[in-house]
């Protein structure tokens, strides 16, 4: 384990209760023991209701961790984690060089693979959008979401209304 990984793990620990308070109930991928199971049970409960005429959308954000904008990550980290923002800024404010043999590639988006802060920073970055979804069921495990409601409410998810794939 290299030093920044160890520092990130130590830095993250005191903020777990803050993540819990901020991200629940919609995001259970950070600071929630058995978060994945929570998504499964909430979804099953939603779908098993008698006379359920609801629809369910299962969302998986494509290449999410590599695609999240770092300026958004830094903005949310500054807002919610000011105590460790200098460390996060040092890790994410400039390009990261990725190496494979003699080949190198500069990465300027996303959170770094293997970074203990990565899932928490990702969850912070999408929290504002995910928490504004108005649906009977809105629960996320990091980049995987289950959103459900009556067909008329869920109609806005149609890809033609947004000009792209769901």
């Amino acid at each position: 384990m290299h030093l920044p990984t160890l520092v990130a793990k130590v830095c993250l620990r005191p903020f777990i209760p803050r993540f819990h308070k901020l991200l629940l109930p919609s995001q259970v991928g950070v600071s929630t023991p058995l978060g994945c199971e929570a998504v499964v049970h909430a979804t099953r409960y939603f779908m098993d209701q008698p006379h359920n005429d609801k629809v369910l959308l299962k969302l998986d954000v494509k290449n999410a961790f590599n695609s999240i904008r770092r300026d958004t990550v830094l903005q949310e980290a500054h807002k919610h984690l000011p105590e460790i923002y200098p460390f996060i800024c040092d890790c994410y404010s400039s390009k990261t060089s990725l190496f494979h043999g003699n080949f190198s590639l500069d990465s300027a988006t996303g959170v770094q693979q293997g970074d203990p802060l990565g899932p928490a920073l990702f969850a912070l970055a999408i929290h504002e959008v995910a928490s504004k979804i108005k649906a009977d069921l809105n629960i996320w495990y990091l980049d995987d979401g289950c959103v459900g409601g009556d067909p008329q409410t869920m109609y806005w998810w149609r890809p033609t209304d947004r000009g792209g794939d769901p």
Side-chain angles (χ1 to χ4, degrees), residues 1-37:
M1 181 179 314
H2 69 296
L3 186 59
T5 302
L6 180 59
V7 171
K9 283 186 176 188
V10 171
C11 285
L12 185 61
R13 184 168 301 276
F15 297 101
I16 290 175
R18 186 180 300 175
F19 283 114
H20 193 77
K21 183 178 179 181
L22 173 69
L23 299 174
L24 287 179
S26 59
Q27 176 62 260
V28 296
V30 176
S31 80
T32 304
L34 304 173
C36 189
E37 286 83 352

Side-chain angles (χ1 to χ4, degrees), residues 81-151:
L81 300 168
E83 302 89 342
I84 59 172
Y85 177 74
F87 174 70
I88 295 169
C89 187
D90 189 48
C91 294
Y92 286 100
S93 62
S94 59
K95 295 178 182 176
T96 303
S97 295
L98 307 173
F99 299 98
H100 180 72
N102 292 332
F103 179 75
S104 70
L105 174 70
D106 286 336
S107 172
T109 60
V111 291
Q112 298 170 9
Q113 185 176 358
D115 180 3
L117 289 171
L121 293 174
F122 176 83
L124 280 177
I126 69 164
H127 175 68
E128 187 174 337
V129 172
S131 64
K132 286 182 180 177
I133 295 172
K134 302 297 183 219
D136 296 337
L137 177 69
N138 178 20
I139 191 165
W140 293 78
Y141 186 86
L142 299 173
D143 65 326
D144 297 307
C146 290
V147 180
D150 66 84

Side-chain angles (χ1 to χ4, degrees), residues 35-93:
C36 189
E37 286 83 352
V39 172
V40 170
H41 291 297
T43 304
R44 185 174 292 146
Y45 177 80
F46 174 78
M47 294 305 295
D48 285 347
Q49 294 303 303
H51 310 292
N52 190 352
D53 61 346
K54 310 284 184 174
V55 294
L56 177 72
L57 297 174
K58 171 64 178 86
L59 306 169
D60 185 0
V61 181
K62 184 178 180 181
N63 201 22
F65 282 77
N66 291 325
S67 301
I68 195 80
R69 291 178 45 160
R70 286 191 180 175
D71 60 334
T72 302
V73 168
L74 290 170
Q75 179 182 358
E76 294 303 310
H78 188 265
K79 185 182 344 177
H80 298 289
L81 300 168
E83 302 89 342
I84 59 172
Y85 177 74
F87 174 70
I88 295 169
C89 187
D90 189 48
C91 294
Y92 286 100
S93 62

